[in-house]
Amino acid sequence: MNCRACVELIQETLGRELPEVCAHHLETCPACRFEYQSLRQLHSLLRQLPAPELAPELAARLASLSLPPRQPSRPRGAWAWSGVWAALSMPALASALLLALWWNGEKLTPPERTAPPSSVSAFATPQPGPATRSPATRKKRGEAALAHVAIRPRQPVLRVDLRSMDDRDLVEQIQRLILSSGGVPEERVPELAGPPPLQQVFVIPRQKLPSIRQDLQRLHPQPLTDEEEPLPEPEEQARIILISK
Amino acid sequence: MIGTNNTAMRSIENKSSLTADGEKMLIAACQAGERQAWQEVVARFTRPVYATSLRILRNPAEAEESTQDTFVKVMSKIHTFRQEASLSTWIYRIAMHTALNRLEAWKRKTNRLRPEEAGAAAAEPRPLPDQIVEQGQLLALVQQTLDDLPEEQRLILILGDIEGLPYAQLAEVLEIPLGTAKSRLHRARALLRDKLRPHLTPRCGENR
């Protein structure tokens, strides 16, 4: 056996018993012997590095997450599109138009809601994003309501301001509700360098937004206001942004 | 952050490792929304996910967040898990990407470079004491030298030698060919060994 093959074998079998053929080579080759002994010691040291200690509440918190109910699989790609075109027969198109009118006129702007007129109008005639996100507007809306809803016709965003909520249990209930409804936390910049407020962003399937919105409204009885946020989201997704202290 | 016996903890986990059938049943139960099955997944994988996240991020609070994000992703995607890899491989992969994304985001946000990226001087081994270090000091030295390795080498040593993933799983988690996984791990070991060479004490005449 030559040195190269022996070193390769040493690496491959590190942590296990050395093959006999390699052991014979080591008896006559000081360089390979050093290679074997130093790598074995290194491997042993790496295995002895102290294991990180888990925060006891972490596992309990993770175990308390609720699995979402199984969803029926949806057609994808070309099949999905063919389904869309098939659905766009004349009766279906008429129904869709009626539904859209009902959605715009009734469901999204229910008469009992006390949202400011500007937020209501955001559904009917979308405004450019930056104009609705100026600090002054934000402040005014922050004073007016705890929860902000920002929905675009194609890219919905639900913004929920929890900064004035002192009930930690209720905040956690809201987070659990979003998670259990299929919300996935978005990759975000850690708070190490960022000033408050903290923003927790969840991406959710778009079709679930109305039901989550209703549930949030129940947990969070203050009137919801609406605003827009231009985001390059896939059409089937929506976002929920929780703003906390 | 520091525990007592890493090897003992790993051996306990190995004893309770799942058979292929057991894993399929566990996944099916999770997909059916069974709470107990999910709790089993959490019990089995919280430690390795947290350990890997912490070793990548080197910040307990960040590692905890990353662990939580990992499990939320696992939970929300388990319905679409097609078992092309093992559950363990899949979860390790999610944990690794989640932690690396957080690390990248942190670097972008803070403009702080890792030591190995700060220039040639930082790439040199740090000055080390001449006297023989005790075992505890030696472990601290190994940890420090590991932390100073380039990201690629550090990552493969964390997964391959510290977490003890076999080559095949290492290749699957990192999504690289098996041969690449082997050679990358071998180079990383050799690099770390060379940096620690003055402090390693191979005994003469010992072959096994």
Side-chain angles (χ1 to χ4, degrees):
Chain A
M1 167 171 268
N2 63 32
C3 292
R4 189 176 172 163
C6 183
V7 170
E8 190 68 23
L9 211 50
I10 288 169
Q11 287 265 18
E12 289 252 2
T13 57
L14 207 56
R16 306 198 302 271
E17 192 175 353
L18 190 67
E20 202 66 30
V21 60
C22 204
H24 287 314
H25 177 81
L26 294 190
E27 284 168 7
T28 56
C29 179
C32 285
R33 197 156 58 234
F34 173 78
E35 191 78 12
Y36 169 65
Q37 289 168 347
S38 61
L39 284 174
R40 198 179 68 156
Q41 191 187 3
L42 175 71
H43 186 258
S44 163
L45 287 167
L46 286 171
R47 299 287 289 174
Q48 288 175 54
L49 284 177
E53 247 175 39
L54 271 178
E57 69 278 3
L58 178 63
R61 198 161 69 234
L62 296 174
S64 72
L65 292 172
S66 307
L67 283 164
R70 186 166 204 169
Q71 294 173 13
S73 57
R74 289 188 307 162
R76 289 172 175 272
W79 287 106
W81 281 109
S82 68
V84 168
W85 289 116
L88 285 179
S89 59
M90 282 311 286
L93 188 60
S95 309
L97 281 171
L98 282 171
L99 184 64
L101 285 171
W102 169 79
W103 184 269
N104 239 1
E106 299 292 331
K107 189 168 182 183
L108 292 182
T109 57
E112 67 270 21
R113 287 206 181 124
T114 54
S118 61
S119 352
V120 175
S121 69
F123 286 115
T125 52
Q127 303 296 313
T132 60
R133 299 188 70 199
S134 68
T137 312
R138 275 202 168 166
K139 190 179 176 193
K140 190 176 166 189
R141 287 181 174 168
E143 287 165 359
L146 287 170
H148 295 254
V149 177
I151 293 187
R152 290 188 68 175
R154 289 167 57 93
Q155 300 172 341
V157 175
L158 187 69
R159 192 182 292 271
V160 185
D161 193 336
L162 304 171
R163 277 174 288 180
S164 56
M165 287 183 72
D166 291 327
D167 186 350
R168 192 65 213 157
D169 287 344
L170 194 54
V171 172
E172 283 178 6
Q173 207 179 337
I174 287 174
Q175 288 170 336
R176 278 202 299 273
L177 167 73
I178 297 168
L179 291 173
S180 63
S181 305
V184 179
E186 195 180 54
E187 294 300 343
R188 62 196 168 86
V189 175
E191 291 79 29
L192 288 177
L198 306 179
Q199 290 200 3
Q200 197 174 6
V201 182
F202 296 86
V203 177
I204 57 160
R206 186 180 177 173
Q207 77 269 17
K208 290 196 172 174
L209 187 63
S211 64
I212 296 178
R213 193 165 179 264
Q214 275 181 2
D215 292 339
L216 281 173
Q217 183 94 69
R218 268 201 297 277
L219 289 171
H220 205 47
Q222 286 80 7
L224 301 174
T225 53
D226 309 311
E227 64 179 32
E228 281 187 55
E229 188 146 348
L231 288 166
E233 295 283 278
E235 201 172 332
E236 69 273 14
Q237 286 186 352
R239 283 177 185 217
I240 297 178
I241 303 176
L242 298 185
I243 305 165
S244 53
K245 287 175 191 172
Chain B
M1 177 173 159
I2 303 300
T4 49
N5 194 336
N6 207 10
T7 314
M9 193 179 290
R10 287 195 195 98
S11 66
I12 289 166
E13 282 166 7
N14 288 341
K15 275 178 198 166
S16 63
S17 62
L18 280 169
T19 61
D21 285 345
E23 184 174 300
K24 275 183 187 169
M25 284 167 66
L26 184 62
I27 295 164
C30 281
Q31 289 176 336
E34 281 182 27
R35 188 169 187 77
Q36 241 182 332
W38 171 252
Q39 285 169 346
E40 178 70 22
V41 169
V42 169
R44 281 178 180 277
F45 293 105
T46 302
R47 194 218 61 84
V49 167
Y50 178 72
T52 305
S53 308
L54 182 59
R55 294 195 193 284
I56 291 173
L57 289 159
R58 290 171 288 192
N59 176 311
E62 283 294 302
E64 208 170 297
E65 290 268 315
S66 190
T67 302
Q68 187 162 315
D69 288 355
T70 298
F71 277 96
V72 169
K73 284 178 189 169
V74 169
M75 185 186 72
S76 62
K77 291 180 194 294
I78 197 134
H79 293 116
T80 59
F81 179 48
R82 287 179 291 180
Q83 302 184 43
E84 286 162 355
S86 72
L87 182 64
S88 156
T89 299
W90 184 61
I91 292 177
Y92 262 114
R93 197 183 294 158
I94 294 175
M96 181 190 74
H97 285 300
T98 305
L100 287 174
N101 285 342
R102 289 186 81 87
L103 186 63
E104 280 305 309
W106 182 80
K107 281 196 254 181
R108 276 200 306 274
K109 185 77 179 174
T110 59
N111 270 337
R112 280 172 61 180
L113 301 177
R114 290 278 312 287
E116 69 273 13
E117 294 160 346
E124 295 298 317
R126 298 179 192 181
L128 300 170
D130 287 337
Q131 71 270 25
I132 297 171
V133 289
E134 297 295 327
Q135 182 76 353
Q137 290 172 294
L138 185 56
L139 287 175
L141 191 61
V142 171
Q143 183 67 63
Q144 174 190 310
T145 313
L146 175 71
D147 285 349
D148 286 349
L149 287 184
E151 199 63 59
E152 187 178 276
Q153 275 96 342
R154 198 167 71 89
L155 188 60
I156 202 152
L157 284 168
I158 289 170
L159 295 171
D161 279 352
I162 300 177
E163 285 301 309
L165 302 190
Y167 286 116
Q169 193 177 10
L170 198 54
E172 282 185 340
V173 170
L174 295 170
E175 296 172 282
I176 54 178
L178 180 61
T180 308
K182 284 183 182 179
S183 58
R184 195 180 287 180
L185 180 59
H186 296 177
R187 277 200 306 274
R189 280 175 183 158
L191 179 64
L192 184 60
R193 189 267 317 271
D194 290 345
K195 285 177 182 288
L196 291 167
R197 190 187 287 257
H199 303 278
L200 298 179
T201 54
R203 281 166 285 176
C204 294
E206 186 189 32
N207 289 346
R208 283 170 194 250

